[in-house]
Amino acid sequence: IAQGEQSGVDITLDTYPYLAGMTYLHALLPSWVQAGGIETMRLRLREPEVRKKVIHELMVTGSDGAHGNTVNFETIVIAGVEKALELVGMRFDEAAKRAGKDPVEFYLDFLDEENYKVSAVLHGGHEPNVRSIMQHPKHMVGTDGILTGNRPHPRGYGTFARYLGVYAREEKILTMEGAINRMTGRPAKRLSLKDRGLIRTGYIADLTLFDAATVKDRATYEEPRVPAAGFEHVWIGGIKTLNSGKRTGELPGKAIRGNS
């Protein structure tokens, strides 16, 4: 980032405060075999020579879909499927053992059987890195959340509360004001939103009232769809959507595009 800035690149970053990531499982495959879309990929992977080459990249030389690394199936947990619901929440190597297959062979078969609609939580982050990155002066908060799936990543429900409760109040990695700025004014400025992100006359009233002493994430990898604690009231465009911690049923939110 520093090198980019020195060369004139306008660069920022955002992260979520968890060690695990989440994506669709076929993303780990080499990009050359994914080219052309799902159906093309499906046909390629049914060719024995192509399958052999893919397995070699996944397990020996590294796949660009896995950031150039080989794949460790012991760190992957199945999060969402179309058919095999009994495997949700199971570690991938354990699911392969249950099927009596080598993990990489099971991986390729499983993708095909599930129509390439498998999401997974991938463990392997490093807490010192997470903390160091969030202190960067260009850092902003993002969930990168995938809300679909049988057992998605808790970041979809817990990211903002986790920054406020854990990393600002408890760990003091950030100040409370600094954490809030990373969620509001800073990203609004970055996205050129002229009337949002600050509490100011004439601005859209997108407001959240929370208790700084109690706000905390409650979503876990086992139970990811649990709302955070400590949020009392929320207004979107001046319309209350959360009242005393309970949803009002109002749905005034809208997609914001460009400078709208």
Side-chain angles (χ1 to χ4, degrees), residues 44-121:
R44 284 196 190 109
L45 286 171
R46 288 178 178 176
E47 298 177 15
E49 287 305 311
V50 172
R51 184 180 175 108
K52 183 178 179 180
K53 183 179 179 182
V54 168
I55 289 173
H56 185 74
E57 290 193 31
L58 290 173
M59 305 308 296
V60 180
T61 62
S63 167
D64 60 353
H67 307 292
N69 299 313
T70 56
V71 176
N72 180 0
F73 289 102
E74 295 180 3
T75 65
I76 298 172
V77 177
I78 298 168
V81 295
E82 277 200 331
K83 302 172 185 177
L85 297 177
E86 71 278 5
L87 300 183
V88 171
M90 187 176 293
R91 224 171 59 188
F92 213 85
D93 62 314
E94 294 172 342
K97 183 178 181 180
R98 172 173 170 166
K101 294 182 179 181
D102 180 80
V104 70
E105 296 283 359
F106 175 72
Y107 168 68
L108 295 175
D109 292 342
F110 189 56
L111 288 178
D112 194 30
E113 292 165 4
E114 292 285 337
N115 297 313
Y116 291 83
K117 295 179 180 178
V118 182
S119 59
V121 173

Side-chain angles (χ1 to χ4, degrees), residues 165-235:
V166 175
Y167 291 98
R169 185 185 65 239
E170 295 178 3
E171 301 292 336
K172 295 180 171 48
I173 302 298
L174 303 170
T175 64
M176 190 66 73
E177 294 83 359
I180 293 169
N181 180 248
R182 284 163 166 74
M183 304 171 184
T184 55
R186 191 177 292 181
K189 182 179 180 181
R190 178 62 181 170
L191 297 172
S192 300
L193 304 180
K194 306 298 184 183
D195 56 359
R196 299 172 190 269
L198 299 174
I199 301 175
R200 183 175 290 176
T201 301
Y203 274 47
I204 301 297
D206 290 343
L207 303 167
T208 300
L209 181 65
F210 67 91
D211 186 342
T214 62
V215 64
K216 194 166 186 178
D217 62 302
R218 297 190 297 177
T220 65
Y221 292 105
E222 291 73 29
E223 295 185 60
R225 291 189 171 96
V226 180
F231 290 100
E232 300 296 332
H233 304 285
V234 175
W235 295 262

Side-chain angles (χ1 to χ4, degrees), residues 233-252:
H233 304 285
V234 175
W235 295 262
I236 298 177
I239 298 173
K240 184 169 277 191
T241 60
L242 192 74
N243 185 45
S244 298
K246 296 182 180 179
R247 293 175 59 181
T248 65
E250 297 288 343
L251 299 170

